[in-house]
Each structure stands twice: as C-alpha cells, then as structure tokens.
Amino acid sequence: MKQLIDEQFSFAAKQYKVLAKTVPANVMPRYYDPKKNKLVTSSTKWWCSGFFPGTLLYIYEYTKDTGILNEAKNRLAILEKEKHFKGNHDLGFMMFCSFGNAYRILKNPAYKNTLDTSAASLATRYRPSIKAIQSWDSDESLACPVIIDNMMNLELLSWVSDHGGNPRYREIAVTHANTTITNHFRPDYSSYHVIDYDLKTGKVLKKVTAQGASDSSAWSRGQGWGLYGYTMMYRFTKDKHYLNQAKNIARFILSNPNMPADMIPYWDFNAPGIPNVPRDASSGALMASALLELGQYAGKAEQKTYVAAAEKMLRSLSSDAYRARLGENGGFLLMHSTGSFPVKSEVDVPLTYADYYFLEALSRYKKWYL
C-alpha cells in the first residue's frame, strides 16, 4: 500500500498540472465529457467549487510540490468571496474542503477568518422549527427540503466552534445530526435522500429522492454521505449514538448483496438493471475515506473489516479500470463517476469530488495504517 499511495500522489501531481492548464483562472473544473472531449467548468458558487483547491492541497501536503501549492493559492483567492454565500447548505463542501485544508496545512490566519465567516453564513440556514439546516430553498415541489448530503457541512460548523468560534454552531450541528437520525434512516440503516418538512410545524411532509433510482432506494453516494457524516460527528462529540449510527450504515453498505466484487458501488444500490448500470467511483472514494476514519474508533475486529474494505476500494480505484492515464481524462484522476443519473447529468464521467476523497482516503491510510 505504501508504494501504491506514493505512486498515486506522484501521478496526481503531474495529472493536476495538466488539468490546471486547461481551467480558466476565474472558474473551477467541474467534470470532463469524454464523448465531446470537453472540460466543463463552474462558477465558484457551484457546490463543488472547493474540491479542486482541496485536492491540490492534499497533493501539495504529500509531495511538497510548490507549483501545486501556487495553483491552490490562486484558486483559494477566487473562492474566498463565497464565505458570504447563503443560497444553499453547501458552504461546508465549498469552504471547509478548501480553506479547512489550507489552514490545517499552511496555518495562515486569514484562512481561519474565512472559515469563521463561512460558518456564520451557513448557520443562517438553520431552521429552529424543523431542528435542521434547510438544504435548498423551497420550490413548487418541496416546502423545506433537507438532504442527507447536508451531514457533510456539519464539519465546518463543528470545527469553527471548536476553534474559538460561536458555540452555537456546534449546537446546530448536533441538533441537525440528531434530527437526521430520526427522520432520514430506514430500519436497515439505509437513508432517504430528501426529507421535506413543514416549516411551521416541523412535521415531515414526505420522504423522496432527487438523485436516487426511487424514493425508497439507497442512492449510493447518499449512503456515503451518511457514513462519513456520522463518523465525523463522533470525532467532534464522542457521542456513542453517532458512532453506532456510522457502524450500522457501514454494515448496510458492506453487507449489501448489490455491492460489486471490486467494491466500487453502482450509482444506486437498488438501480434497475444491475449489473448493467453505471458505477460511481465518487461513492467508492467517499466510503473508503469514511471507513478509514471509522476504523480509528472501532475495536480491532471491526477495524480490520473497515480497513480491508477501504483498501479493496482504493486498490480498485488505483487500477486501470478506474484511474486515468497521464494526460487523459481531461486531467482528472478517476474515471466512471455518476453525478445525477435520473436527470442524465454527469453520468460515467470524472468528477472533482471523486478525486478529492480518493486522495483524502490514500493520505488517511498512510497516516493511520502504515
């Protein structure tokens, strides 16, 4: 594994220089369309905008490549203004994956100030009546939607509270996590994607999906968000309730009869047409990273199970089946991710967050298990 990890980071440094050259200075890479040989970019308001600088920072941390660091700093500079963004719940993805890593590695106080402001912006979306953070604004079909992905944004709130910020942010994170346990999960510990609330009464109006195969299916990346989110909340709170939730989600994922032999999930565990449906490398990368952290909090037997599964995922992702060749794949590391299958968006393409969680998982493996 040490050799594999070294090889992946060495490749990543070269490949991300290829990617950086093709991305205009004022936008972020979003995905690459292999059929049209076209790089698709996004504004800094897109929910994935923090993953490119975050990935660059993981590469710099491992390789100490100053060219990569300079690129990361340039991308942070265009992203920084989004600390004031209040349009949805995605500030954690946008700002903690980027500025959180930047502050951790570089210790620049300006980066911490950006995180403090970002947490304040995210906290404005907390709705006391539903005891949760509203993910998206209401529309004709959803009154007050909360999605499982929102668990990932609690890291920003918890971290800022723990580093001299408003203690209320941590209280919001805990309350949101508790509400999500109550309303998002089924008896088998799979998760609904979207819970729609009545903003006046706090009652659940409906349980639906925006990205899964059906309202009752287990959308793969959503299961990963839950696994990662509760493992992370245990890190901050040491509340066994969260640890048990994470272990139960892990059991659902790892014992699922529709998990492929290479451990890279289909885009939905209940997708019609399995096995002839697209995979989601981003789910595999995300789950691997979460399982490696969960292993830190588990007994020896459970740790062995989690680490072995994560290792299988990482070896699969590092193989020719998923990892691109130098100069190909638009400059991204991993192939075969699925953004949103139901609306035919980003299907079987490389995605920025797949690369991010892949490198995060590799660095976690080296730090904790080698």
Side-chain angles (χ1 to χ4, degrees), residues 93-327:
F93 286 121
M94 294 158 67
M95 308 308 282
F96 199 77
C97 296
S98 52
F99 285 91
N101 277 315
Y103 182 70
R104 180 179 61 80
I105 296 165
L106 304 171
K107 296 294 186 281
N108 181 340
Y111 295 154
K112 184 175 181 299
N113 292 340
T114 297
L115 292 168
D116 292 346
T117 304
S118 302
S121 297
L122 177 57
T124 65
R125 297 199 62 90
Y126 180 69
R127 308 288 180 250
S129 62
I130 67 167
K131 295 188 166 63
I133 297 161
Q134 183 171 348
S135 300
W136 305 323
D137 291 343
S138 62
D139 61 21
E140 60 280 357
S141 63
L142 295 167
C144 181
V146 177
I147 63 175
I148 190 64
D149 320 36
N150 210 333
M151 284 299 303
M152 302 293 284
N153 298 299
L154 307 185
E155 187 167 13
L156 169 64
L157 297 173
S158 301
W159 187 91
V160 168
S161 279
D162 277 7
H163 290 81
N166 191 332
R168 179 173 164 266
Y169 303 153
R170 185 192 179 104
E171 289 163 18
I172 288 172
V174 165
T175 305
H176 181 100
N178 294 344
T179 300
T180 301
I181 285 180
T182 301
N183 295 326
H184 259 88
F185 288 89
R186 307 180 184 106
D188 64 359
Y189 293 95
S190 67
S191 142
Y192 291 95
H193 182 205
V194 187
I195 305 296
D196 193 26
Y197 291 92
D198 183 316
L199 200 48
K200 286 187 181 144
T201 66
K203 279 172 111 171
V204 172
L205 297 173
K206 54 189 174 186
K207 303 186 176 192
V208 294
T209 194
Q211 286 176 258
S214 71
D215 292 343
S216 60
S217 74
W219 171 51
S220 296
R221 196 162 59 249
Q223 313 315 304
W225 296 141
L227 175 66
Y228 192 113
Y230 283 101
T231 304
M232 172 265 294
M233 283 303 293
Y234 178 72
R235 182 205 317 155
F236 282 105
T237 65
K238 293 297 177 273
D239 183 334
K240 285 283 172 61
H241 196 196
Y242 300 149
L243 180 60
N244 290 334
Q245 186 73 11
K247 287 179 177 181
N248 284 321
I249 299 167
R251 190 172 65 247
F252 171 81
I253 291 168
L254 297 180
S255 65
N256 197 290
N258 284 341
M259 176 64 92
D262 68 359
M263 301 292 286
I264 306 305
Y266 301 107
W267 72 273
D268 189 298
F269 281 106
N270 307 105
I274 286 174
N276 302 310
V277 299
R279 301 295 187 92
D280 183 17
S282 76
S283 292
L286 169 67
M287 289 170 182
S289 188
L291 288 166
L292 290 170
E293 180 170 13
L294 185 56
Q296 291 289 287
Y297 312 133
K300 280 205 172 143
E302 284 177 316
Q303 181 184 89
K304 200 172 171 185
T305 300
Y306 301 148
V307 176
E311 182 176 330
K312 184 74 191 279
M313 291 167 175
L314 291 174
R315 286 187 182 278
S316 293
L317 292 172
S318 301
S319 74
D320 292 343
Y322 294 94
R323 209 213 69 191
R325 292 180 180 175
L326 186 61

Side-chain angles (χ1 to χ4, degrees), residues 1-10 56-65 105 359 362-363 366 370:
M1 276 301 282
K2 183 182 186 306
Q3 184 184 344
L4 179 142
I5 294 166
D6 286 345
E7 285 169 0
Q8 299 315 310
F9 273 96
S10 173
L56 289 163
L57 286 159
Y58 276 134
I59 297 169
Y60 166 70
E61 183 178 31
Y62 198 96
T63 65
K64 299 298 182 275
D65 185 316
I105 296 165
L359 293 188
L362 290 168
S363 61
K366 184 169 186 192
L370 286 179

